[in-house]
Each structure stands twice: as C-alpha cells, then as structure tokens.
Amino acid sequence: MSAPQPAPVAGRRRHVGSDAPGLHLQRLAAGGGRFLADERAEGELHLVVVRSREPHARIAVDAGRARAAAGVRAVLTGADVRDATEPMGLLWRAPIQAQAPTWCLAGDRVRYVGEPIAAVIADDAYLAEDAAELVEVAYEPLPLAVEPADALADGAPRLYDGWPDNVFGRTRFEAGDAAAAIAAADVVVKGRYESGRVAGLPLETRGVRAVWDVAGRSLTLWSSTQSPNQVRASLAATLRIDETRVRVLCPDVGGAFGNKACPTVEETLVAFAARATARPVRWIEDRPEAFVATVHGRGTAVELELGLRRDGTIAGIRATVVLDCGATPYMVGLGTGVVTAAMVIGPYRIEEAETELVAVVTNKTPIGAYRGFGHPEATFAIERALDEGAR
C-alpha cells in the first residue's frame, strides 16, 4: 500500500506527471529507481553491435554464419541501412565545418576502433553475443593519423577522400592588435596547455529500447539520454519519418556528464532494427564497449602567448586552439573548440586579443560533450599562463 501523499499547499505549484523533488530522491535512495535495463517488453529481442577492431581500414563483411546461428532473427550491415536511412546530423551546424556523414553502420571503410560495422539481433543477449563472434570482417588497413599533429602534417593520410586535408573547420576571434600589444609588453609568457582526452564513466552505460506500432509507422523509443527532444528530431531525420510519429521516453538516468547529451548512432540503429524485425529491440552498452563507443571529452591543446605589463595588467593575448575531433564529428561538431577559443581570455579585461580554432579529424573515437563543454580547457590555459606571468 502506498504512503499517503501530502495535500498541496495553496499558492504552490504542483509537479504534474513526475515525483516532487523530495519524493524522487526518497524513491532513489530506497532502491526504487527504474533504469532502462530494468524494463522489458514481451517478445523483446536483444541487439549486439559488432565494432571495428582497426582504427582505419577498408572492410568486407560476411554475416552468413551469424545469420544461421541459433536464435538469431536478423543481422544488419552497412548495405542494409545505407539506402534506408540518412546520416546523423550535427547539432552545431556552421558553414565553417566540412561534411563528414556518419551512418548508424559503416559502409566499406572504418575510421576508428569501436565504429559500428554490424548489428546482430537475437532472442537473448547471450545468443546475440555468440552470433556476433561469427560475423567475419576482413580488414585492409589504411595509413593512420592518430594525433592532430599527424593529421595536419604535409602528406598526412586523409580520413575523407573529398577533403583537401584533415581540417574539419577553422574560425577566429579578433579584437585590436594582439601582435603589437604583445611585442610592447614587459613580460611575455608562451606555453602549450593540453587537456588530454577523457572517457566519462556514468554508473549506467548507455541503452536504447524501441518498438513500432502494428503498422510500422510510429515509433516509441526509450533512451538513457539527457536530451529526449534532440533524440526525437534526430530519429525523425535519420529514419525519414515525420517527427509527430516519434515518441522518446527517458527513464531514470544513472549519470551522464554530457556523454549522453546528444543523439547517437545506436538510437537510429536500434529503431531501424525494431522496424526490420517487427519486434521490440533493446541494446545495453557494456563497459568495455563504452570506452570506445561513447564519445570522449576534452582532447584540446591551447598554444598561448600572453603579454603582461609590470603593473599587472594584461597587454594582449594570442592563442591557437587545436581540437582533436576524432574520426566522425557527428554530434557537437567543433562546438567545444569554438567555446574554448571564445573563452580563453577568461573573465579578464583584455582589449587586444586574437584566438583561432583548428578542428582536426583523427583515427580516434569521436569527441562530444563532457563536463563544461570547452570551458575547462580554456580556463586551464589562461590561469596557468597568468600564474607563470605573475611569478
């Protein structure tokens, strides 16, 4: 029997359709959380993603043995989804960005370890895992560009054949004459300030569940996400259906930290698999998978030159921000780098400033949002330089 609820207080807004904040915390503290993996639908199938084991290669996929395995209902490859879906769209759309289309499954080329190659859908997770081992992928390794310096070097292997180089985008912010101000400064500090890549580790890994109506025209999808409305818009675009026919639900989320802030390829993949099998489908990411499949954070280097006067005022600043976007910047694009380049002056009065962003693709897991979205990288650079200048 549920406990009686307190009567609403006159003049106070009620929380409609959700727990009041206090009751919500009590429910979670008492073990009453309901996370995506806790829920199941009758007849729900399990999806396992076959991911690239090479950072850059041409591939050929043979799923014949997997399709014949016990309990397997379908095996999807890039050829199955390419003509029936659209590539993921960027949340940060800007004309300075190059085009790097990313589908929910790779075609004939992979660009990072962990890139989805095939999806095995079976009666339970164990059968799906076993069958995934039977998917045969032939790799023809291609030259690598692992670090931004490698990708920017003359003659570097290009990740996208239609690009002139590996630069995903550039932009600048300018005010006054920074070069002249620094040249006239009493003290000049120069440094390279790196914020290495990090992998966010929420207690709950990502997960997706999807089911279509009987006619296969309307989709209901559950996702451990921070942004259900963005997921809804993305699914409508990638699956070529009207947004009014997509419903996205978000259960309790066991941590996110920005890693779950944007739509992901797995949401499109699970929804597509549910339509292809005419059954509910679920995918729950495991921890080793998360290290290469969930977007990373940071991956930024700031080359900074700071001019100071003897009275402690800042004469000018110049900075170049190099963002390692990873292989397929399909989520936030160069958004975190734009924020770093714009915010590297910090809260200080600097009238002579010049900052440039160079966003580069490399053969690594894509970069996304994580704890501050570009601000910590900028703060680290300017504060470290000021400490050195003050000394």
Side-chain angles (χ1 to χ4, degrees):
M1 181 176 180
S2 60
Q5 302 299 311
V9 178
R12 181 179 297 173
R13 297 181 64 183
R14 297 182 62 190
H15 292 260
V16 180
S18 65
D19 296 335
L23 296 178
H24 176 67
L25 294 176
Q26 290 176 28
R27 176 174 63 83
L28 292 175
R34 296 298 296 177
F35 301 93
L36 187 138
D38 296 327
E39 305 293 343
R40 294 181 185 275
E42 184 177 352
E44 193 169 56
L45 302 176
H46 294 253
L47 183 147
V48 168
V49 182
V50 178
R51 299 184 180 275
S52 175
R53 297 179 181 180
E54 292 287 336
H56 199 195
R58 300 282 181 189
I59 61 170
V61 183
D62 184 350
R65 292 175 61 208
R67 290 191 173 104
V72 172
R73 300 295 176 171
V75 179
L76 302 174
T77 66
D80 298 310
V81 302
R82 187 56 56 93
D83 292 335
T85 62
E86 295 294 327
M88 296 287 294
L90 286 168
L91 290 180
W92 280 58
R93 298 179 178 89
I96 58 174
Q97 294 177 156
Q99 296 298 312
T102 303
W103 278 264
C104 60
L105 290 175
D108 61 357
R109 184 175 177 181
V110 290
R111 294 176 173 85
Y112 66 97
V113 172
E115 183 169 356
I117 292 176
V120 177
I121 304 99
D123 290 336
D124 63 45
Y126 301 100
L127 293 172
E129 289 280 2
D130 290 344
E133 294 292 329
L134 301 177
V135 176
E136 299 176 10
V137 183
Y139 295 96
E140 179 189 336
L142 296 171
L144 301 177
V146 177
E147 299 297 333
D150 303 330
L152 291 171
D154 292 339
R158 284 179 294 165
L159 269 69
Y160 294 93
D161 293 337
W163 295 16
D165 51 31
N166 289 315
V167 176
F168 179 56
R170 295 177 185 265
T171 192
R172 294 172 65 87
F173 299 95
E174 295 181 86
D177 189 340
I182 292 172
D186 298 313
V187 175
V188 177
V189 174
K190 295 182 180 180
R192 177 182 174 87
Y193 307 94
E194 294 190 39
S195 298
R197 274 180 168 245
V198 295
L201 294 176
L203 288 178
E204 180 200 27
T205 57
R206 294 179 301 141
V208 183
R209 299 174 59 233
V211 62
W212 293 79
D213 67 352
V214 175
R217 299 180 61 216
S218 296
L219 168 68
T220 299
L221 182 133
W222 295 260
S223 181
S224 179
T225 181
Q226 295 170 256
S227 308
N229 289 333
Q230 293 175 354
V231 171
R232 180 175 181 242
S234 174
L235 288 168
T238 57
L239 297 170
R240 302 172 182 167
I241 59 176
D242 192 277
E243 196 169 328
T244 60
R245 295 195 172 277
V246 181
R247 184 183 185 212
V248 174
L249 302 175
C250 184
D252 291 329
V253 175
F257 314 121
N259 291 159
K260 300 177 182 177
C262 303
T264 64
V265 293
E266 288 85 3
E267 286 152 344
T268 293
L269 180 57
V270 173
F272 183 88
R275 185 164 61 181
T277 58
R279 294 271 294 275
V281 173
R282 68 194 277 118
W283 166 73
I284 307 298
E285 183 180 52
D286 63 32
R287 184 62 70 190
E289 185 179 27
F291 278 110
V292 295
T294 296
V295 291
H296 292 170
R298 310 287 189 248
T300 304
V302 180
E303 296 273 2
L304 190 143
E305 188 176 13
L306 185 68
L308 302 167
R309 303 185 185 93
R310 293 288 178 188
D311 64 2
T313 58
I314 301 173
I317 186 173
R318 288 197 298 186
T320 298
V321 177
V322 179
L323 173 67
D324 180 351
C325 291
T328 56
Y330 70 93
M331 297 176 78
V332 297
L334 46 73
T336 58
V338 170
V339 172
T340 302
M343 299 302 297
V344 76
I345 62 173
Y348 304 104
R349 184 181 295 112
I350 307 176
E351 297 180 355
E352 317 290 335
E354 176 187 309
T355 65
E356 179 182 20
L357 166 67
V358 182
V360 185
V361 290
T362 61
N363 292 116
K364 294 205 284 285
T365 298
I367 281 287
Y370 177 77
R371 301 297 292 177
F373 204 85
H375 287 264
E377 299 91 312
T379 300
F380 169 60
I382 183 63
E383 295 299 332
R384 187 76 178 98
L386 281 172
D387 284 349
E388 292 174 5
R391 291 190 189 99

